[in-house]
Amino acid sequence: MSAPTIAVLVAAVIALVLPFMLSNFRLFQFTQVFIYAIALLGLNMLTGFNGQISLGHGAFFAVGAYTGAIMMDRWNVPYGWTIPVGGLLCLIVGFLFGIPALRLEGLYLALATFALALAVPQILKYFEHWTGGSQGIVLTKPAAPFGLPLSEDQWFYFVTLVVLFVMFVLARNLLSGRIGRALVAIRDNPLAAEAMGVNKALYKSLTFGVSAAYTGVAGALSAVAIAFVAPDSFNILLSISLLTGSVIGGLASISGAIYGALFIQFVPNWAQDISKAAPWAIFGLFLIVFMYVMPYGIAGALRLVWNRLTRPQG
Amino acid sequence: MDIFLQQVVSGIATGGIYASLALALVMIYQATDVVNFAQGEMAMFSTYLAWSMLNAGVPYWVTFFATVALAFLLGLVIERLVIRPVESAPILSIVIVTLGLLVIHNSIAGWIWSYIQKPFPSPFPSRPVHMGPIIVGAHDIGEISVTLIVLLLLFAFFRYTPVGLAMRAAAHNPVSSRLSGIRVSRMLMLGWGLAAAFGAVAGMMVAPIVTLEPNMMGGIQIYAFAAATLGGFTSPGGAVLGGIIVGVAENLVGTYVRFIGTELKLTVALAIIIIVLLVRPRGLFGRAVVRRV
């Protein structure tokens, strides 16, 4: 068995045992980690693999979360449906946003998405009839079905874990083949990629769509997990923390999404003990330091260490 | 008609604020080809420094110039320590680093000075000026005059001084400039310093209107982005005009377009940015960037 396979198996065993070892609150935190990991995976695809900078992925997270919340609250749709619908809606929204984004190069795309991230809470508050305004929408946590002896938090932990697994397998298959190579080619040398017959416009806007869909699924899951949505939780800081997680985990990597998610879930918690303002100072510091010393993030550093250790001596 | 004129005039006043921050953005873009996402937060931070000085009893104009000098130094230091290591890295790295600066400035300001709003004095008289049927605040007139003075200084600096010429050259063609003896890195450092100084002026002009708090620049920065995009990131004059157009548009739309009102202010800025980038990416007065491949 190769090392990555062993690592995945160990991680899977830990993930399956955790719900029976931890308190409900801790478990909820790990559910959040999985949710962030799905969103980060989407952002990694777009920014890491395809080189399109998005500072506004919090917007797609919000679309997913509100789609889920409105479906459950207004139309009594079972929560299971909200996840694919949230993803699908974001796929469409993301694809449509991706078309004008085609014309924007690096810096300008960053500007446009930054503006998008800033405007989201306002837009959500404006459509008060649907979104409940600044009060938000309160939901109920789903109970475990078929009389399974699991608490609500344990049950939803497993739901999220399954979704995460499916999304990871999909992403791996998508990125390790022809499509993945096309995305990287567009990032590294758009001109050469086009000369080789890669349809740049189609791939770029599709990547935007798929990336948004991942983040939308994460948003829908988070609406159920937290059982509450409000406009101010989808501010610019959400977008910045997603980007931070992406950078720290490792931009162009799949496993990096997990490391990044662990970081954005747990680091602010202990930083909060120092000062209310500290989490963001630490986020900022990590962003800058990582760009200097570990531009490929934790995933890249691990790969480097592993290669050093297993390199034949001589 | 009076309401319309009044709205236009207050739009010009708001526009002056956007213009002053947009000038700082354009400054850095001109000198280094980077958009500094932390520009607004750096300005906010300098304004807090000014507040501390004023609180210690330093007279206003002494504080004003001392703050500008301090901000200049801060800009130099930030460029040297934080930006220089990623100078030749891909654009993504630089964007991420300036975002890091954004959150650091914001949280450190909150840490030191707390998130409670603080009043900030204006150097201009508080009595409004009557011009026919229209009423204009003295601070508005003062603030626009300051913006125009900064614009003139900037223009003169780039147009008539050897350093300004060297800076333009360094941004335009770093390799050739280095070959003709310009110290390119030093020019970039100077660019950051000047931009930070302009930002500090903008901050001190904004603070009396919006009151000082760590998040005061968030909305203003997005409008400054819109202004710079509209006017063209390569044109200081364009950025000022862009700021004024955006300010007037914001006020008129807020008054006359019922369904937008003031609740969708940031969305209007978003729409302006996206429309300009799609229709005329170089802005009204910008020069098109030509790249050789």
Side-chain angles (χ1 to χ4, degrees), chain A residues 103 111 122 126 247 277 281 292, chain B residues 82 96 107 259 263 266 278:
Chain A
R103 298 196 49 182
L111 260 179
Q122 268 196 344
Y126 186 77
V247 167
Y292 297 162
Chain B
V82 183
I96 288 173
S107 56
F259 75 95
E263 291 158 34
L266 297 178
L278 290 181

Side-chain angles (χ1 to χ4, degrees), chain A residues 47-48 51-55 97 99-101 103-120 122-128 191 236-237 240 243 247 251 274-288 291-292 295, chain B residues 29 33-35 37 81-86 91-104 106-108 110-111 115 218-219 221-222 225 229 233 258-260 262-270 273-274 277-282 289 291 293:
Chain A
T47 306
Q52 301 191 69
I53 306 175
S54 169
L55 309 181
F97 196 88
I99 295 174
R103 298 196 49 182
L104 306 182
E105 290 208 14
L107 208 52
Y108 291 109
L109 184 59
L111 260 179
T113 49
F114 185 78
L116 176 70
L118 271 173
V120 166
Q122 268 196 344
I123 300 175
L124 289 175
K125 281 177 201 162
Y126 186 77
F127 294 101
E128 200 172 354
L191 222 68
I236 179 82
L237 293 179
I240 294 183
L243 189 75
V247 167
L251 269 172
I274 308 172
S275 153
K276 184 173 160 267
W280 291 103
I282 286 173
F283 266 36
L285 207 64
F286 268 88
L287 266 180
I288 294 175
M291 271 296 122
Y292 297 162
Chain B
Y29 190 82
D33 254 352
V34 170
V35 170
F37 284 87
L81 295 182
V82 183
I83 304 297
R84 183 81 55 90
V86 289
I91 201 84
L92 174 66
S93 314
I94 301 174
V95 168
I96 288 173
V97 167
T98 64
L99 275 178
L101 284 174
L102 184 158
V103 286
I104 289 177
N106 187 290
S107 56
I108 290 183
W111 204 334
Y115 289 92
Q221 173 156 313
I222 188 174
F225 277 152
T229 316
F233 263 99
R258 210 24 69 72
F259 75 95
I260 290 181
T262 51
E263 291 158 34
L264 286 182
K265 263 187 152 182
L266 297 178
T267 319
V268 173
L270 169 70
I273 292 177
I274 290 183
L277 287 178
L278 290 181
V279 179
R280 199 180 159 87
R282 64 181 147 133
V289 180
R291 230 174 245 129
V293 282

Side-chain angles (χ1 to χ4, degrees), chain A residues 43-89:
Chain A
L43 189 56
N44 277 354
M45 263 182 218
L46 184 72
T47 306
F49 284 88
N50 200 211
Q52 301 191 69
I53 306 175
S54 169
L55 309 181
H57 255 49
F60 300 114
F61 202 86
V63 171
Y66 268 92
T67 309
I70 291 169
M71 283 170 72
M72 284 185 284
D73 184 58
R74 297 287 148 86
W75 304 326
N76 285 319
V77 180
Y79 67 95
W81 287 103
T82 67
I83 296 156
V85 172
L88 206 64
L89 193 71

Side-chain angles (χ1 to χ4, degrees), chain B residues 7 12 110 184 204 229:
Chain B
Q7 287 302 327
I12 293 174
V184 173
M204 284 183 282
T229 316

